[in-house]
Amino acid sequence: MNDSSTSVELADRLRALVSRLSPGDRLPSSRELIKEYRVGPATVARAIAALAAEGVVVTRPGSGTYAAQRTRLDRELDGEADAADTDWQTVALTDRAVDTHLIADPLGPPPAGTITLDGGYVHRSLQPTRALSAALARAARRPDAWDRAPAGGLTALRTVFARIVGGSVTPDDVLVTAGGQSALSIAFRAIAGPGSPVLVESPTYPRALAAARAAGLRPVPVPLDADGLRPDMLADAFAMTGARLLYCQPTFQNPTGTVLTPERRRQILDVARASGAFVLEDDFARHLGHGRAVPRPLVADDRDGTVVHVTSLTKPAAPSLRIGTLVARGPVMERMRAVRLVDDFFVTRPLQEAALEVLSSPSWDRHVRSLGTALRERSAVLAAALTQELPGATLAGPPTGGLHLWVRLPPGVDDTVLTAAARQRGVAVSAGSRYFATEPPAAHLRIGFAATADHAELTEGARRLGAALAGLGTTAA
């Protein structure tokens, strides 16, 4: 190599040399490289620096330059890498499983053109997207937008949520969370210890079951009827299991749409108090009434700290407005604050500021009213179509709020088989078996009316579902 050789050329030569060495082997010294390749010290220094930046060599001042350990990627590119042996993790992770089979779609993502009757959020056309975009833009322009938020949430936002809940709830009783699912996870881990039973409605929300099981809890089902959770069976379940926690959805229950009657609301709280237990009230549908007055949340009439209340903005607004709250009094709130502090310190401030902007605007009340009207109309359209297309099926309701219809299938129909057949015909629905903590008493479907583009899609979705049912060879009961 003559004097005009560059550091790039030298780096190429040294790279080839390193490929023949074993990791840890020492390269020739700078003096030896200068002599062998007839280059200057600066050229050698630049070439070595380039190889070190690539991870090809490791330099040790006072010792020399050495071939680096080859990365797994390098070995794979050369066809030398063996498959990673991660079997040891099976032992290390024993008893740490997180069960997601109830919330993961076993059929995978639906193909393009599928009518979505299994969605849990409102269609984009029903979202207040313009108000959300404007609110986020205003929030981002604030001088303190990117400062650290208080661990419990912005005081102004907690004040708004306290007013929404009503009763004697104060801002100090409110903890802002990153959506309702995060709130459920915090509450389950804060209230009950691993291995403890937790009473749940049957059927109930699958993601709540998943969160409870991830916290190490054991869901115990308590039946529902047309008036909601049965207080007599709840008392028996508390007595038999010794549970200290009940998870329930008193208003527009998911998936059945039932509303707990005023008398049962009092009875449920009385039974829980007598059992020394908490009631985890999931009030996800607070803003999803179909034009009628929505009952007060349980926590609004609770003065003993029995109720831990959960709500969020994702259902009535948009999936990515991940803002929710926990409402509670007493030591349980301090425990939940500690859990969320350990989890993630605080909810991102711009999103809290945007939520505050949205909730404080007169347009929010207008949105809730128009959304309620749209949901009521959609519910009626879908119910009528299903009545026509699914002979032998029984619809619960009609619901006075929420996003879904609960349909009992004719005898002999397997809900999972029908769900798969419906997907093949271009319509996605939810198998009812996902909503039960134990064996379901009958086959059901949860069918949503909020995630489609319009009424025509609802009608066409019902037609496709009816064709799938007919294709199974089932006759009307």
Side-chain angles (χ1 to χ4, degrees):
M1 183 175 292
N2 57 38
D3 292 339
S4 64
S5 298
T6 66
S7 61
V8 173
E9 293 172 328
L10 178 59
D12 289 339
R13 296 285 188 90
L14 295 182
R15 198 177 288 108
L17 171 62
V18 171
S19 68
R20 299 191 295 271
L21 300 177
S22 299
D25 285 353
R26 188 176 183 277
L27 272 68
S29 67
S30 295
R31 181 176 298 176
E32 291 169 331
L33 293 175
I34 292 170
K35 182 177 180 179
E36 179 177 355
Y37 293 105
R38 300 173 60 190
V39 295
T43 300
V44 171
R46 285 194 294 269
I48 294 295
L51 296 183
E54 295 174 12
V56 175
V57 299
V58 176
T59 59
R60 298 171 187 165
S63 176
T65 302
Y66 299 83
Q69 295 287 336
R70 301 187 69 200
T71 66
R72 177 174 177 80
L73 177 60
D74 293 333
R75 298 196 306 274
E76 288 177 346
L77 291 174
D78 292 340
E80 300 174 5
D82 297 326
D85 182 5
T86 59
D87 287 347
W88 64 272
Q89 294 183 7
T90 302
V91 178
L93 294 174
T94 299
D95 297 329
R96 293 171 179 84
V98 178
D99 186 358
T100 61
H101 82 278
L102 291 176
I103 60 177
D105 189 342
L107 301 176
T114 301
I115 295 177
T116 304
L117 298 183
D118 63 346
Y121 300 104
V122 299
H123 188 266
R124 188 174 302 161
S125 63
L126 301 177
Q127 298 171 11
T129 51
R130 183 174 299 178
L132 290 171
S133 297
L136 190 59
R138 289 193 299 270
R141 288 195 297 266
R142 294 180 179 177
D144 58 353
W146 300 102
D147 290 352
R148 174 173 177 162
L154 299 178
T155 300
L157 183 58
R158 291 188 286 113
T159 300
V160 171
F161 273 111
R163 185 172 66 248
I164 291 172
V165 172
S168 60
V169 172
T170 71
D172 290 338
D173 302 325
V174 178
L175 175 65
V176 177
T177 66
Q181 190 67 21
S182 174
L184 290 177
S185 178
I186 291 170
F188 281 131
R189 287 179 290 140
I191 296 173
S196 302
V198 53
L199 305 187
V200 300
E201 297 161 317
S202 183
T204 192
Y205 178 45
R207 293 183 184 273
L209 294 176
R213 287 174 173 148
L217 309 185
R218 178 170 52 89
V220 177
V222 180
L224 297 168
D225 60 21
D227 292 327
L229 190 64
R230 293 183 53 177
D232 56 337
M233 292 194 170
L234 177 65
D236 291 342
F238 272 126
M240 287 188 296
T241 65
R244 292 295 179 264
L245 176 61
L246 162 68
Y247 167 78
C248 64
Q249 298 173 307
T251 304
F252 313 136
Q253 198 259 357
N254 181 7
T256 65
T258 58
V259 177
L260 196 61
T261 62
E263 180 181 8
R264 287 197 179 181
R265 288 172 181 257
R266 292 189 294 269
Q267 292 174 338
I268 295 299
L269 290 184
D270 288 344
V271 170
R273 290 190 190 105
S275 303
F278 289 97
V279 175
L280 181 54
E281 176 189 24
D282 187 349
D283 197 26
F284 78 99
R286 172 70 17 201
H287 300 288
L288 299 177
H290 294 179
R292 299 183 183 179
V294 179
R296 283 160 60 94
L298 298 181
V299 72
D301 299 313
D302 170 44
R303 296 185 176 275
D304 303 316
T306 299
V307 179
V308 174
H309 176 87
V310 174
T311 193
S312 78
L313 298 178
T314 56
K315 300 296 185 183
S320 284
L321 188 60
R322 305 300 302 176
I323 293 291
T325 59
L326 283 160
V327 178
R329 298 181 178 92
V332 69
M333 175 53 90
E334 297 307 314
R335 177 76 62 80
M336 292 191 298
R337 285 195 183 107
V339 171
R340 76 83 26 84
L341 186 64
V342 169
D343 277 356
D344 55 11
F345 294 118
F346 57 90
V347 175
T348 178
R349 184 165 190 143
L351 203 57
Q352 290 193 61
E353 297 280 11
L356 179 60
E357 290 271 359
V358 170
L359 291 176
S360 302
S361 170
S363 65
W364 175 250
D365 288 336
R366 292 195 297 270
H367 165 69
V368 171
R369 288 195 298 270
S370 64
L371 177 61
T373 299
L375 293 177
R376 181 177 67 247
E377 293 172 352
R378 285 165 170 258
S379 175
V381 168
L382 181 59
L386 291 174
T387 299
Q388 178 178 340
E389 301 291 349
L390 299 182
T394 304
L395 275 66
T400 56
L403 306 173
H404 318 100
L405 296 178
W406 185 238
V407 181
R408 180 166 177 163
L409 296 173
V413 178
D414 186 306
D415 60 338
T416 59
V417 173
L418 178 56
T419 300
R423 181 70 68 88
Q424 292 178 350
R425 292 182 180 268
V427 59
V429 294
S430 298
S433 52
R434 299 173 57 215
Y435 298 82
F436 291 89
T438 57
E439 296 81 3
H444 292 80
L445 293 179
R446 192 197 74 168
I447 308 179
F449 46 77
T452 54
D454 51 34
H455 293 183
E457 277 200 358
L458 291 172
T459 303
E460 174 61 16
R463 187 197 66 77
R464 295 182 187 183
L465 181 59
L469 178 59
L472 298 181
T474 303
T475 59

